[in-house]
Amino acid sequence: MIFHSILFRSAEDRAPDVSPVAPDYFADLNLDQIVDAITTGKEGYDLKPFFHAPLRDIDAIAYRHEVMQALEDSRLLGIIKTFANSMQAMRRHLVQSDKLRYREQKELWFLDAVEIYCDAVNRLTRDLSGEIFSSRGLAAFRDYAAGYAVSEHFTSLTGQTKDLLADVASIEYCVLVDSPHLRVHKFAGEPDYTADVEATFERFKQREVEGHTFKFSESPDMNHIEAKVLELVGLLYPGTFIALTNFYAANKEYRDPGIMAFDREIQFYVAYLEHIAAFKHAGLLFCYPRVTGTSKEIYSFQGFDLALARKLLGERAVPVCNDFHIKDRERIIVVSGPNQGGKTTFARTFGQLHYLASLGCPVPGKEAQLFLFDALFTHFEKEESIDTLRGKLQDDLVRVHRILERATPDSIVIMNEIFTSTTLQDAILLSKQIATQIMDLDLLCVWVTFLDELASLSAQTVSMVSAVDPGRAAERTYKVVRRPADGLSYAMSIAEKHRLTYGMIKERVGR
């Protein structure tokens, strides 16, 4: 297999979907929070565009699964991290080289950067040479790196770097300071009197005294005196410094594009695995989902909202996990139940699972089969905007209309609490018309609503309800279970709106 990318199975998979801009539905599903958390600390790799580009091919997802599963081996992950650390050190040297003012120093920092690069590539090649990968991507990269490491260009670069470093290391010189004058000459075997001076004055030492040793600055920037010394050393060893200048000019583009692409792209996997490690440590499960582009019989067991889970772990709590399944002609999951019972979290979880699966990532849960969508649409409640000059009901209708214009049978739609600003009769009428269009399209949908009538609209709808504690109706369990709607959702929403729930009345009476 020819190596194209560790992230993309072929060149066709890469473009044109990789975008620095997040999809419109990211904020609704809290995917923006998830991607921010995953990429924190790895800003230098610019990973977010990769997380903004869902894949459209089942085998392209399998390609990523293979790499991700291989990197779950801590030894292989250690090899990759060692390589990444070296490449980061190389980049720091290049950045510092660009900042420096004096030519000779810039060129020496550049030489060190090239040495770090050559050593990193050679070490990575050796570390991967004995590996047998079931991952097509890693196997192809191993062979690519092995071929590059023995190429004429790379071996010549390595040889020149080592030879020039050896020449620089062999330079010896003396500095004679006779204020205000300074002379530099080649080292001629002058003796080092340091030990003799220390031994002479050792017998006069009676107690610990304050030291007066001069501490040189740790900053790489040289002052004008140091720069002059280096310039004079260059005049003493012109051959070495001319070679250094020529090396700097000839090797500006020394980095191989394939190696550098691997260094960046492999961090997509490393960042995700590092992110979910904390959740696994807390006992939460992740799985590699079966992804299908044909069957709409989907399911997830013990799935959870990854953004909410991160927040809860910070509070030393764990999220409530939920299951769902759709079979036969079922397409629309209608979620009803009391407010603050986990309905919106369930809807977000559904969207997150499908999106993460489309990236080729393991998803929260014990086991899952998910659908590979062509487009994902969300409609979450938004405040009225003076810019649109539309009321809330009109805004809901306009947004839903845009979704239905663009949706196909392979799309996923997630709607959360629409038509809350109109009467019950109008909400039912409008919702049934929209549900009919969704069913005609035969697409997958999660619909969070206070309208229990939608749950039994047809054989294509599935009713799920946010449960409460049987003994204490006011206590939310945050479990969303598959069962017929109980007819209380709308009543509860009205009661809560007017502060007439049992708990609210009891609170006022008790005052």
Side-chain angles (χ1 to χ4, degrees), residues 170-175 184-192 236-237:
S170 68
I171 291 177
E172 295 181 310
Y173 61 92
C174 292
V175 178
V184 178
H185 64 80
K186 288 185 177 181
F187 176 68
E190 292 90 345
D192 183 354
L236 293 175
Y237 296 89

Side-chain angles (χ1 to χ4, degrees), residues 344-497:
T344 300
T345 296
F346 176 87
R348 285 194 174 109
T349 299
F350 186 93
Q352 289 175 16
L353 292 177
H354 278 90
Y355 188 81
L356 293 173
S358 75
L359 293 177
C361 295
V363 301
K366 182 179 180 181
E367 185 180 357
Q369 177 167 300
L370 302 168
F371 185 71
L372 183 59
F373 56 87
D374 63 355
L376 198 160
F377 302 98
T378 59
H379 185 297
F380 279 51
E381 191 172 23
K382 286 182 170 59
E383 294 182 359
E384 293 184 40
S385 173
I386 194 172
D387 296 329
T388 63
L389 299 179
R390 295 196 298 255
K392 192 170 187 309
L393 176 59
Q394 183 184 5
D395 186 64
D396 278 345
L397 289 170
V398 168
R399 291 168 61 202
V400 171
H401 178 69
R402 288 174 180 168
I403 290 173
L404 294 176
E405 276 189 322
R406 297 161 58 196
T408 76
D410 290 335
S411 300
I412 292 177
V413 175
I414 299 173
M415 295 194 292
N416 185 58
E417 299 284 14
I418 63 173
F419 302 142
T420 56
S421 62
T422 188
T423 65
L424 174 60
Q425 290 76 16
D426 287 345
I428 292 174
L429 176 64
L430 292 169
S431 295
K432 284 184 176 180
Q433 291 180 357
I434 291 169
T436 298
Q437 293 186 56
I438 290 175
M439 289 186 288
D440 289 343
L441 281 169
D442 196 44
L443 55 75
L444 292 173
C445 174
V446 172
W447 193 330
V448 176
T449 180
F450 57 85
L451 303 175
D452 295 336
E453 290 83 354
L454 297 180
S456 56
L457 195 58
S458 79
Q460 289 178 267
T461 58
V462 176
S463 175
M464 296 190 72
V465 179
S466 57
V468 296
D469 189 322
R472 292 178 294 178
E475 290 293 326
R476 311 299 197 250
T477 66
Y478 305 108
K479 295 292 289 186
V480 179
V481 297
R482 184 174 171 131
R483 75 176 189 213
D486 54 21
L488 299 177
S489 298
Y490 187 68
M492 285 299 296
S493 67
I494 293 296
E496 288 179 350
K497 179 179 180 180

Side-chain angles (χ1 to χ4, degrees), residues 86 213 239 263 357 464:
S86 295
T213 304
D263 174 50
M464 296 190 72

Side-chain angles (χ1 to χ4, degrees), residues 9 34 44 100 111 114 125 134 146 195 234 300 311 362 379-380 429 451 472:
R9 178 196 51 178
I34 294 172
L100 295 172
L111 178 63
V114 178
T125 303
S134 57
S300 168
K311 177 183 177 182
H379 185 297
F380 279 51
L429 176 64
L451 303 175
R472 292 178 294 178

